[in-house]
């Protein structure tokens, strides 16, 4: 009998929580709903979940603060880090930026497709399994493409080791690729940093505009495409045989998760 990974849901709107619980349960997970941050902290302390979905607009504590408290609690318990996803009704890009800067694995804006959310949950769990090989594990459901073992997530941005062969230096705003420092413009750095921090995560052109550009309303899809093109040229100059950035036609871009650790 397969173990069903626990997914903690911190959401004060019962209608949204009901929908999330239904689709997660249908996909082989065990959802645990908490209407307040206080309940979420108590549930987390009782048994850390495989993943947590946090609404930013909770009644007793905002989701960002809850995220930090759960992280601290997780560290104090000494177990594998729990991946976390922000759920927000706000359209302001600052919420998305703050969520990713804190080290969250993803964010989803309301209204959302429940099936898309579940797909992202499975993707994050698979990525956590690959990045945390050898760490203490939590069992997962095999029937939905999630590995049997779900170890620790990649550490938060401030201390995480991004997917090889990239290395981020946040203080110098520099990225190394196969050991060589890249000469990047401001927007090239912003784009590549975002992709490197979330390998495999597909970013639409609109998301990249909102998260990287100062005023996305004055920019267009072709602006993103042009910067990706120059980025690829700089990466290819270092490792001609490697294709680190994937294009999903009609959708956007993602960092290839299957990159060689050494250039030929």
């Amino acid at each position: 009998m397969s173990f069903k990974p626990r997914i903690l849901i911190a959401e004060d709107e019962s209608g949204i929580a009901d929908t999330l619980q239904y689709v997660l349960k249908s996909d082989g997970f065990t959802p645990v709903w908490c209407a307040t941050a206080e309940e979420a902290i108590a549930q987390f302390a009782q048994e850390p979940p495989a993943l947590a979905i946090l609404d930013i607009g909770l009644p007793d504590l905002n989701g960002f603060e809850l995220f930090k408290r759960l992280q601290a609690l997780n560290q104090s318990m000494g177990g594998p880090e729990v991946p976390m996803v922000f759920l927000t009704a706000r359209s302001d890009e600052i919420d998305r930026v703050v969520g990713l800067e804190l080290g969250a694995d993803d964010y989803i804006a309301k209204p959302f497709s429940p099936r898309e959310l579940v797909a992202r949950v499975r993707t994050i769990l698979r990525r956590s399994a690959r990045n945390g090989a050898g760490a203490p594990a939590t069992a997962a459901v095999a029937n939905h493409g999630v590995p049997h073992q779900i170890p620790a997530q990649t550490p938060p941005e401030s201390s995480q080791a991004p997917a090889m062969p990239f290395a981020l230096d946040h203080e110098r705003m520099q990225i190394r690729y196969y050991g060589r420092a890249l000469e990047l413009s401001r927007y090239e750095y912003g784009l590549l940093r975002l992709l490197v921090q979330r390998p495999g995560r597909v970013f639409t052109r609109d998301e990249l505009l909102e998260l990287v550009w100062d005023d996305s309303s004055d920019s267009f899809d072709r602006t993103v495409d042009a910067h990706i093109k120059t980025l690829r040229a700089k990466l290819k100059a270092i490792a001609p045989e490697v294709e680190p950035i994937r294009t999903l036609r009609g959708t956007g871009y993602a960092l290839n998760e299957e990159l060689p650790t050494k250039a030929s």
Side-chain angles (χ1 to χ4, degrees), residues 147-216:
H148 288 285
Q149 302 293 322
I150 304 297
Q153 80 175 90
T154 304
E157 175 186 337
S158 60
S159 62
Q160 84 175 28
M164 290 293 290
F166 292 94
L168 299 186
D169 186 333
H170 301 291
E171 292 184 357
R172 293 182 175 83
M173 293 185 67
Q174 185 181 79
I175 301 177
R176 288 183 174 275
Y177 182 54
Y178 289 114
R180 293 175 57 181
L182 293 163
E183 294 294 331
L184 304 174
S185 70
R186 174 184 175 186
Y187 293 125
E188 288 170 352
Y189 170 80
L191 283 170
L192 187 57
R193 173 183 144 185
L194 200 60
L195 294 173
V196 168
Q197 288 175 328
R198 299 290 177 268
R201 202 293 202 180
V202 178
F203 288 92
T204 67
R205 290 173 175 83
D206 286 343
E207 286 177 323
L208 293 173
L209 283 171
E210 289 181 7
L211 292 168
V212 177
W213 269 258
D214 295 329
D215 189 351
S216 60

Side-chain angles (χ1 to χ4, degrees), residues 62-103:
N62 74 62
F64 299 140
E65 184 61 31
L66 174 59
F67 174 88
K68 289 187 280 188
R69 294 195 187 184
L70 292 181
Q71 271 199 325
L73 178 60
N74 199 179
Q75 291 170 5
S76 70
M77 296 172 73
E81 279 201 52
V82 174
M84 300 189 205
V85 176
F86 281 120
L87 190 62
T88 177
R90 304 175 192 176
S91 59
D92 191 343
E93 69 174 281
I94 190 63
D95 287 336
R96 305 182 186 187
V97 173
V98 170
L100 292 174
E101 290 289 338
L102 284 175

Side-chain angles (χ1 to χ4, degrees), residues 113-173:
S113 161
R115 286 296 167 190
E116 179 189 357
L117 184 143
V118 171
R120 290 197 190 186
V121 165
R122 292 202 302 267
T123 298
I124 292 168
L125 292 178
R126 284 196 298 269
R127 186 164 67 230
S128 295
R130 282 192 294 268
N131 292 343
T138 299
V141 179
N143 295 333
H144 299 278
V146 182
H148 288 285
Q149 302 293 322
I150 304 297
Q153 80 175 90
T154 304
E157 175 186 337
S158 60
S159 62
Q160 84 175 28
M164 290 293 290
F166 292 94
L168 299 186
D169 186 333
H170 301 291
E171 292 184 357
R172 293 182 175 83
M173 293 185 67

Side-chain angles (χ1 to χ4, degrees), residues 183-258:
E183 294 294 331
L184 304 174
S185 70
R186 174 184 175 186
Y187 293 125
E188 288 170 352
Y189 170 80
L191 283 170
L192 187 57
R193 173 183 144 185
L194 200 60
L195 294 173
V196 168
Q197 288 175 328
R198 299 290 177 268
R201 202 293 202 180
V202 178
F203 288 92
T204 67
R205 290 173 175 83
D206 286 343
E207 286 177 323
L208 293 173
L209 283 171
E210 289 181 7
L211 292 168
V212 177
W213 269 258
D214 295 329
D215 189 351
S216 60
S217 63
D218 290 339
S219 303
F220 303 93
D221 285 357
R222 62 177 177 270
T223 302
V224 174
D225 294 339
H227 281 78
I228 290 291
K229 183 177 181 180
T230 60
L231 260 180
R232 280 180 165 146
K234 292 178 179 182
L235 296 172
K236 191 169 285 291
I238 294 175
E241 73 289 349
V242 181
E243 294 291 344
I245 300 176
R246 294 191 298 120
T247 300
L248 286 88
R249 295 190 181 280
T251 305
Y253 299 96
L255 188 78
N256 193 336
E257 296 176 275
E258 306 297 333

